């Protein structure tokens, strides 16, 4: 059994956690790491893939692997593969979606940066109201690159997009980087979430990644404050 990749994984993970590889920094390329750890490219790839799946690294096409940001002062949380699933699966009760807007457009600078694509690359712009047992729960704005996630239709959106990505496109969803913040409810929240002027919402910004470290989704979801529970399980090293 090849356990060397696990030893390499542990070593690089320690360097990330101990800030030897700081957040957002580029780690050495695979060839350099292979020389450092005296291993094959396949062994190194297995170790790096595991770090990507855990949300510790992400990849930029043609540029290499980078350390995921972990700025907890902004309420940021990294969700590993084993806990990441679409809203349809993760929620209890009868989940339905009302499509408020669905269009193709070109990425602006903010969206391009979050999805690691070029400005003016084509993207889906999806605006949905998510309901549980017919009660409004979340307003969600989602952006996805059409080149990476082709074929999204209204039919796909009415079910589980994550199921479509994994079972139809045969892509593997690995991790997500989430930032949470409280906000004052706005006009759209009042209309669709049935909130009053003085009531707050919890906004969650998410960038979700495939198992190759490529971001496939940038979303901003606004949750009813009275229907949202936030649970974190922490393990001390």
């Amino acid at each position: 059994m090849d356990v060397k990749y696990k030893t390499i994984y542990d070593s690089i993970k320690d360097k990330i956690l101990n800030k030897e590889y700081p957040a957002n920094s580029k780690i050495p390329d695979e060839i350099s790491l292979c020389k450092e750890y005296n291993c094959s490219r396949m062994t190194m790839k297995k170790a790096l893939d595991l770090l990507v799946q855990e949300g510790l690294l992400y990849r930029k096409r043609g540029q290499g692997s980078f350390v995921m940001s972990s700025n907890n002062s902004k309420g940021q949380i990294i969700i590993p593969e084993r806990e990441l699933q679409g809203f349809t699966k993760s929620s209890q009760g009868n989940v339905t979606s009302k499509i408020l807007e669905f269009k193709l457009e070109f990425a602006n600078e903010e969206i391009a940066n979050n999805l690691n694509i070029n400005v003016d690359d084509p993207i889906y712009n999806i605006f949905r109201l998510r309901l549980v047992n017919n009660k409004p729960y979340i307003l969600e704005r989602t952006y996805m690159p059409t080149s990476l996630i082709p074929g999204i239709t209204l039919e796909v959106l009415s079910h589980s997009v994550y199921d479509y990505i994994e079972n139809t496109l045969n892509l593997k969803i690995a991790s997500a980087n989430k930032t949470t913040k409280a906000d004052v409810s706005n006009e759209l929240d009042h209309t669709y979430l049935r909130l009053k002027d003085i009531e707050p919402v919890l906004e969650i910004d998410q960038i979700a990644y495939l198992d190759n470290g490529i971001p496939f989704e940038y979303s901003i979801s606004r949750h009813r404050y009275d229907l949202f529970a936030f649970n974190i399980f922490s393990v001390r090293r």
Side-chain angles (χ1 to χ4, degrees), residues 60-227:
K60 290 185 178 181
R61 281 175 288 186
Q63 297 184 48
S65 299
F66 294 77
V67 178
M68 188 76 77
S69 171
S70 58
N71 187 352
N72 290 326
S73 66
K74 293 185 177 179
Q76 185 182 73
I77 299 159
I78 294 173
I79 310 296
E81 170 189 11
R82 61 185 176 274
E83 297 174 14
L84 181 62
Q85 49 191 334
F87 177 69
T88 302
K89 282 188 174 181
S90 62
S91 299
Q92 296 182 353
N94 178 36
V95 178
T96 55
S97 297
K98 182 177 181 181
I99 313 302
L100 304 175
E101 190 174 49
F102 176 42
K103 60 184 178 181
L104 293 177
E105 60 184 34
F106 301 106
N108 60 26
E109 187 173 356
E110 177 190 0
I111 296 169
N113 286 339
N114 284 313
L115 290 176
N116 190 28
I117 58 177
N118 296 319
V119 172
D120 290 335
D121 277 359
I123 57 168
Y124 302 106
N125 181 340
I126 305 159
F127 190 37
R128 290 180 289 182
L129 174 64
R130 317 303 295 270
L131 303 102
V132 178
N133 298 327
N134 292 319
K135 293 182 179 180
Y137 194 89
I138 301 172
L139 266 181
E140 180 183 79
R141 176 80 66 178
T142 301
Y143 304 98
M144 292 184 180
T146 61
S147 59
L148 187 62
I149 312 294
I152 290 183
T153 64
L154 288 172
E155 176 66 18
V156 171
L157 292 177
S158 66
H159 297 91
S160 170
V161 177
Y162 277 30
D163 272 352
Y164 171 77
I165 290 171
E166 294 202 304
N167 298 324
T168 301
L169 298 182
N170 295 315
L171 299 172
K172 180 68 175 176
I173 297 170
S175 59
N177 193 320
K178 297 193 177 193
T179 302
T180 65
K181 64 180 181 180
D183 196 12
V184 178
S185 57
N186 59 31
E187 242 180 82
L188 290 173
D189 302 323
H190 304 156
T191 300
Y192 294 108
L193 295 179
R194 302 176 189 169
L195 292 172
K196 299 176 182 177
D197 290 354
I198 60 171
E199 292 182 310
V201 293
L202 184 69
E203 183 177 287
I204 300 180
D205 293 2
Q206 170 174 293
I207 303 174
Y209 299 84
L210 300 175
D211 63 346
N212 58 7
I214 296 175
F216 72 91
E217 174 193 70
Y218 169 49
S219 66
I220 304 99
S221 57
R222 294 173 68 83
H223 299 244
R224 281 190 61 111
Y225 73 97
D226 54 342
L227 297 176

